[in-house]
Amino acid sequence: MSNRNVALRELWTLFFTFSKVGVMTFGGGYAMLPILQREIVENKGWASEEELTDYFAIAQCTPGAIAVNTATFIGQKLGGILGGVVATLGVVFPSFIIIVFLAGIISAFSHLAWVQNAMAGVRVCVCVLIFNAVRKLWRSSVVDLATMILFLAVLLASLLTDLSPVLFVVVSALAGILLKNWGVGRK
């Protein structure tokens, strides 16, 4: 098989994988986190838990949706610029098709009680998916006393202030550098 055929197959796999993530997700980027984790880390082995956590953090502080940004980062890692474009198109393609389809009929049915009740159920499900994503990220991120203190500080600051998430990410990155270097220096 030629190199071109292998490259096309890899790009198709990238597109299909991220399309699967996009089609299975309701509720936005945070709801995609557990699905991304399963597909990218467990099924494909394209990133480690730590790498995916890093992608989530960077995607959170860059413009755009977290899942789209994460798809772009992973696609670029695997296939360069073209891989980033293909992964991004893959993750947004299902939503685009669904939105185009629903836009024509949603206003006709949104007033129905069963539609409103179904959406209420979907919102509850999305909360559970986000909770599970946080639980998995917690296990790979809060690994010692220093990271627990950093977690609590960021949690309190985010609950008590209206500061930008970008500031939390930048300050946490600097704190991580300082804490880990300080810890290594003390050994």
Side-chain angles (χ1 to χ4, degrees):
M1 188 177 288
S2 73
N3 286 343
R4 181 179 174 166
N5 288 342
V6 170
L8 286 175
R9 190 174 66 213
E10 289 172 356
L11 289 173
W12 172 250
T13 301
L14 199 58
F15 180 85
F16 180 73
T17 299
F18 281 101
S19 291
K20 190 164 55 169
V21 168
V23 80
M24 293 188 305
T25 304
F26 295 90
Y30 291 112
M32 284 186 177
L33 298 183
I35 297 168
L36 279 167
Q37 190 274 339
R38 185 183 65 235
E39 286 298 317
I40 303 310
V41 175
E42 295 172 16
N43 293 349
K44 298 293 184 195
W46 288 342
S48 67
E49 290 275 350
E50 292 77 22
E51 285 176 309
L52 192 60
T53 301
D54 293 343
Y55 291 143
F56 289 160
I58 295 167
Q60 178 64 40
C61 64
T62 54
I66 188 170
V68 173
N69 292 347
T70 302
T72 305
F73 295 145
I74 292 169
Q76 192 279 330
K77 173 188 173 190
L78 298 173
I81 292 172
L82 184 58
V85 170
V86 167
T88 302
L89 290 174
V91 82
V92 300
F93 181 73
S95 297
F96 175 75
I97 297 300
I98 292 167
I99 288 169
V100 167
F101 174 73
L102 291 178
I105 61 172
I106 194 72
S107 62
F109 296 105
S110 64
H111 67 283
L112 297 175
W114 69 270
V115 172
Q116 294 171 359
N117 293 339
M119 294 311 294
V122 168
R123 284 191 298 272
V124 170
C125 178
V126 168
C127 289
V128 171
L129 293 174
I130 292 170
F131 176 79
N132 285 334
V134 168
R135 189 175 49 83
K136 287 179 181 181
L137 290 171
W138 170 276
R139 282 195 298 239
S140 65
S141 301
V142 180
V143 295
D144 56 19
L145 182 61
T147 53
M148 173 61 88
I149 291 168
L150 183 58
F151 170 82
L152 292 173
V154 173
L155 176 65
L156 287 174
S158 69
L159 292 173
L160 301 175
T161 69
D162 290 330
L163 295 173
S164 168
V166 174
L167 181 62
F168 292 132
V169 172
V170 170
V171 169
S172 296
L174 293 173
I177 292 168
L178 293 174
L179 289 170
K180 294 301 179 179
N181 285 337
W182 180 61
V184 171
R186 295 183 67 201
K187 287 184 180 178

